[in-house]
Amino acid sequence: MSFLCSAAGLLARVKLLEGSTTEQTRRNIKRWVSPTLRELAHRQKKLGPQKPERRAGFVEWNQRSELFAFSQRLGESFKVSQLQRAFTEKSFAQREEDRRRQLGIEESDLQMPHNSDLVEKGQHIAHAYVEAFLQHQLPKVPNDGHHAITSFLLSTETLAHVSSHLGTKDLIQSTVYPPSAESLAKSLYAVIGALASSSGIEKAFLFVRDFICTQLNQRDLLEVWTPQDPIQLLENICQERKLGEAEPRLLADCGKNTVLGAYQVGIYANRQLLGKGFGEDLKTATETAAIDALQSFFDTRDNRRPFDFSIHLKPKSVRLD
């Protein structure tokens, strides 16, 4: 009986503590918070969506500090003047010159450097290194494949993706904000050119390898480059290598003469199976089999050896002419 009394007393004390805690919590919430938040939300909804503001327009913005932080994030050594020039677009420089001219500044002080020449230099370096990298990593792929993969890596979308994730959005000095994909891509080219001017061409090569070539990691090369007219290309390769005439053969089919028909075709040369593929008709299945055979010849299958992104290509192997 005494045990039940002590347990009841303990429960009463716990309820009393919970009640006091709830009461104390309620007292800490001010009555003006809820209506204030509702009013702010109402005003925000009334104003509608707002345009994004430049970080450079904030009071605490420091351009030199941001450039220093950018170089430290990348682990590279830039000259501040070169890096600042890399993020200054020609249109922005012209607008600043016009503004200074209206303020009566002397003509000798009107010139503002921009990144046009750095963009051209960086583009030349990136294109040369990507081609050399693909020649080293995919030696069996023909020139058409190299050109297609190079175009993918140096496309505006890919370069803009890399540039935005490096944090160049708020550093770009442009007349339009947020910067377009083309501005992001050009700024990345300019950063490559600035790095080559500041730390040498080998550092620029490593930058291209680490941030641009790595976009091929875990990517299906067939999505990047699909050979045009694969059957004719396979026949040409078989003739060059003296493998005999490529001959497609029907291996299996199901659902024939129905909308769910499926065919499996294999391509042979000298009684050797080169590749096989599936399709909803014989033509599609034959093209798929030809692509499968070409992937074996070019060593571009999914189970191929991964790209080696730790290689150091010698400057002599990169054509900068």
Side-chain angles (χ1 to χ4, degrees), residues 13 31 93 155 162 187 207 212 250-251 268 299-302:
R13 291 180 182 180
R31 300 182 63 182
S155 63
V162 175
S187 68
F207 183 93
I212 296 181
L250 181 63
L251 300 179
Y268 291 81
D299 192 18
T300 58
R301 290 182 179 274
D302 292 339

Side-chain angles (χ1 to χ4, degrees), residues 291-305:
I291 292 175
D292 183 64
L294 291 175
Q295 283 186 302
S296 299
F297 285 140
F298 300 150
D299 192 18
T300 58
R301 290 182 179 274
D302 292 339
N303 59 352
R304 64 176 297 275
R305 185 179 61 183

Side-chain angles (χ1 to χ4, degrees), residues 66-132:
E66 295 294 336
L67 294 176
F68 176 78
F70 176 80
S71 63
Q72 293 301 308
R73 285 199 305 269
L74 299 183
E76 302 290 353
S77 178
F78 290 92
K79 294 180 180 178
V80 178
S81 58
Q82 290 289 330
L83 190 57
Q84 186 172 7
R85 180 181 173 188
F87 288 118
T88 304
E89 292 189 351
K90 185 176 181 179
S91 59
F92 181 85
Q94 291 177 349
R95 191 183 69 177
E96 283 296 308
E97 291 176 2
D98 294 339
R99 186 179 66 84
R100 295 177 183 180
R101 188 176 291 106
Q102 293 176 0
L103 294 175
I105 300 177
E106 297 181 1
E107 290 291 333
S108 58
D109 299 331
L110 289 177
Q111 297 297 328
M112 186 175 184
H114 52 81
N115 63 1
S116 297
D117 55 342
L118 290 178
V119 170
E120 184 177 355
K121 182 178 181 180
Q123 185 176 8
H124 184 61
I125 292 173
H127 193 275
Y129 186 85
V130 168
E131 286 186 343

Side-chain angles (χ1 to χ4, degrees), residues 38-74:
R38 284 198 300 268
E39 179 63 22
L40 291 176
H42 175 70
R43 293 184 181 184
Q44 182 68 30
K45 184 177 179 180
K46 188 176 181 180
L47 288 175
Q50 301 295 309
K51 294 183 179 179
E53 297 183 6
R54 297 175 182 266
R55 283 285 292 114
F58 288 72
V59 177
E60 71 277 6
W61 177 262
N62 189 312
Q63 182 74 11
R64 294 182 65 88
S65 298
E66 295 294 336
L67 294 176
F68 176 78
F70 176 80
S71 63
Q72 293 301 308
R73 285 199 305 269
L74 299 183

Side-chain angles (χ1 to χ4, degrees), residues 31-265:
R31 300 182 63 182
W32 55 267
V33 173
S34 179
T36 302
L37 293 178
R38 284 198 300 268
E39 179 63 22
L40 291 176
H42 175 70
R43 293 184 181 184
Q44 182 68 30
K45 184 177 179 180
K46 188 176 181 180
L47 288 175
Q50 301 295 309
K51 294 183 179 179
E53 297 183 6
R54 297 175 182 266
R55 283 285 292 114
F58 288 72
V59 177
E60 71 277 6
W61 177 262
N62 189 312
Q63 182 74 11
R64 294 182 65 88
S65 298
E66 295 294 336
L67 294 176
F68 176 78
F70 176 80
S71 63
Q72 293 301 308
R73 285 199 305 269
L74 299 183
E76 302 290 353
S77 178
F78 290 92
K79 294 180 180 178
V80 178
S81 58
Q82 290 289 330
L83 190 57
Q84 186 172 7
R85 180 181 173 188
F87 288 118
T88 304
E89 292 189 351
K90 185 176 181 179
S91 59
F92 181 85
Q94 291 177 349
R95 191 183 69 177
E96 283 296 308
E97 291 176 2
D98 294 339
R99 186 179 66 84
R100 295 177 183 180
R101 188 176 291 106
Q102 293 176 0
L103 294 175
I105 300 177
E106 297 181 1
E107 290 291 333
S108 58
D109 299 331
L110 289 177
Q111 297 297 328
M112 186 175 184
H114 52 81
N115 63 1
S116 297
D117 55 342
L118 290 178
V119 170
E120 184 177 355
K121 182 178 181 180
Q123 185 176 8
H124 184 61
I125 292 173
H127 193 275
Y129 186 85
V130 168
E131 286 186 343
F133 179 84
L134 294 177
Q135 288 286 350
H136 184 274
Q137 295 291 303
L138 299 172
K140 298 180 181 180
V141 174
N143 292 331
D144 292 342
H146 286 163
H147 292 331
I149 299 174
T150 301
S151 299
F152 164 75
L153 289 176
L154 300 180
S155 63
T156 302
E157 293 76 13
T158 303
L159 294 177
H161 172 77
V162 175
S163 180
S164 62
H165 283 78
L166 290 180
T168 62
K169 175 183 176 182
D170 293 314
L171 294 174
I172 297 175
Q173 293 182 328
S174 174
T175 56
V176 179
Y177 187 84
S180 62
E182 185 177 359
S183 296
L184 291 170
K186 287 184 176 180
S187 68
L188 185 61
Y189 278 140
V191 168
I192 297 172
L195 182 59
S197 301
S198 302
S199 302
I201 194 69
E202 293 187 12
K203 285 288 188 179
F205 287 161
L206 295 179
F207 183 93
V208 175
R209 182 200 67 182
D210 293 340
F211 294 105
I212 296 181
C213 293
T214 50
Q215 299 303 308
L216 291 175
N217 187 33
Q218 297 183 356
R219 183 175 292 274
D220 185 6
L221 293 180
L222 193 61
E223 297 178 357
V224 180
W225 172 60
T226 302
Q228 299 294 330
D229 197 359
I231 300 176
Q232 183 63 40
L233 180 58
L234 180 60
E235 291 178 354
N236 296 337
I237 292 177
C238 290
Q239 291 178 2
E240 292 175 359
R241 302 186 180 185
K242 298 180 180 180
L243 299 176
E245 184 179 357
E247 180 183 358
R249 297 180 183 177
L250 181 63
L251 300 179
D253 61 5
C254 65
K256 193 175 181 179
N257 298 326
T258 67
V259 295
L260 298 178
Y263 300 85
Q264 183 183 22
V265 173

Side-chain angles (χ1 to χ4, degrees), residues 8-19:
L10 181 60
L11 290 176
R13 291 180 182 180
V14 171
K15 291 183 179 180
L16 181 61
L17 290 175
E18 291 179 353

